[in-house]
């Protein structure tokens, strides 16, 4: 079994990024971008540290992946992210022509799919629910600690 | 008449940014963000130069305005932009709690309003069509030159 290249193994790396976010007192969302079974970008939410609402994990990962590839289109790439992207990030993923998006936990409030799948490029494919429980637990623990 | 603080006068500054974009061979879209009748951020589309699909004029202006204010929320601020924002930028403006958006030309293809106004924060107000002809002409001229 090639579990080394499984969706779960890459999502674990995204969860590791989310954990780093929580350690920095950021809402724990992490992302990695994979091209040809290699991680070419990894990022976590940095909206607090950068004081910038645009600094979601996905946005930072898109910018980093484009830098790595030397071109702004992420064709053939897969984004693994621990929470369903918001409309801002879905719009950016549309512009980037990403091939596939895999997310863990659904975002019932601000997930892009509440606005219809047309926010994404028609060719982009989606897999959801990969390690969703782990991602949800990290978010719930974070917000519970905040309230204490 | 306080024309110095009119929507037209601020949109002229956004058009000046769009002109700078065209001069750098970028799709000519420009934006300024105004707080208390002062321009606190100005930017133009830099997707080519930065090799980054997220580098729309609005995104760069949001980041710059937050830097200027020292906080990530743009309450009390108005964005003037020469083209209707796309869903990515509308999502970012939602996160930023911007008070008001003024745009010039509608974007019939990828304007956020094709996806319903719920992409924006419910408190954000909109004015459109300010100096629309000038903004449209700049875009048409740009793409016509590209085809020549």
């Amino acid at each position: 079994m090639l579990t080394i290249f499984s969706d779960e193994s890459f999502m674990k790396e995204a969860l590791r990024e989310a954990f780093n976010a929580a350690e920095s007192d950021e809402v724990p969302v992490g992302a990695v971008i994979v091209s040809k079974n290699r991680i070419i970008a990894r990022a976590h939410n940095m909206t607090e540290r950068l004081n910038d609402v645009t600094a979601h994990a996905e946005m930072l990962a898109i910018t980093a992946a484009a830098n790595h590839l030397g071109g702004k289109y992420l064709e053939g790439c897969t984004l693994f992210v621990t929470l369903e992207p918001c409309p801002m990030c879905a719009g950016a993923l549309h512009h980037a022509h990403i091939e596939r998006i895999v997310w863990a936990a659904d975002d019932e409030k601000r997930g892009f799919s509440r606005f219809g799948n047309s926010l994404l490029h028609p060719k982009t494919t989606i897999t959801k629910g990969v390690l969703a429980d782990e991602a949800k637990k990290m978010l719930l623990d974070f917000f519970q600690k905040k309230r204490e």
Side-chain angles (χ1 to χ4, degrees), chain A:
Chain A
M1 283 202 313
L2 274 172
T3 50
I4 191 174
F5 294 146
S6 67
D7 284 355
E8 284 73 16
S9 69
F10 289 126
M11 190 61 82
K12 266 184 197 161
E13 294 300 317
L15 281 165
R16 203 186 297 265
E17 284 296 318
F19 180 80
N20 291 340
E23 291 281 290
S24 312
D25 214 27
E26 300 273 359
V27 175
V29 181
V32 300
I33 292 178
V34 172
S35 171
K36 297 173 188 156
N37 283 325
R38 270 190 59 214
I39 292 176
I40 60 166
R42 48 192 313 146
H44 62 71
N45 175 36
M46 293 184 82
T47 48
E48 296 304 320
R49 180 151 164 211
L50 297 181
N51 228 331
D52 186 346
V53 296
T54 74
H56 282 194
E58 300 95 314
M59 303 297 280
L60 301 174
I62 290 168
T63 300
N67 271 340
H68 175 89
L69 295 171
K72 63 184 194 292
Y73 296 117
L74 307 183
E75 275 144 358
C77 294
T78 300
L79 169 81
F80 293 83
V81 58
T82 58
L83 182 67
E84 179 186 354
C86 73
M88 171 182 75
C89 294
L93 292 161
H94 178 285
H95 293 317
H97 301 183
I98 195 119
E99 185 170 298
R100 184 173 171 237
I101 303 173
V102 183
W103 75 77
D106 286 340
D107 184 345
E108 308 291 346
K109 276 190 191 162
R110 290 294 301 170
F112 80 91
S113 61
R114 270 105 213 112
F115 301 87
N117 275 351
S118 56
L119 282 178
L120 292 182
H121 197 275
K123 286 189 184 164
T124 301
T125 59
I126 290 174
T127 304
K128 54 186 191 168
V130 176
L131 302 184
D133 290 343
E134 286 85 336
K136 261 183 238 169
K137 186 178 179 324
M138 212 184 280
L139 284 160
L140 286 172
D141 287 354
F142 179 82
F143 286 113
Q144 188 158 359
K145 251 188 206 162
K146 280 275 172 201
R147 278 193 298 269
E148 274 165 10

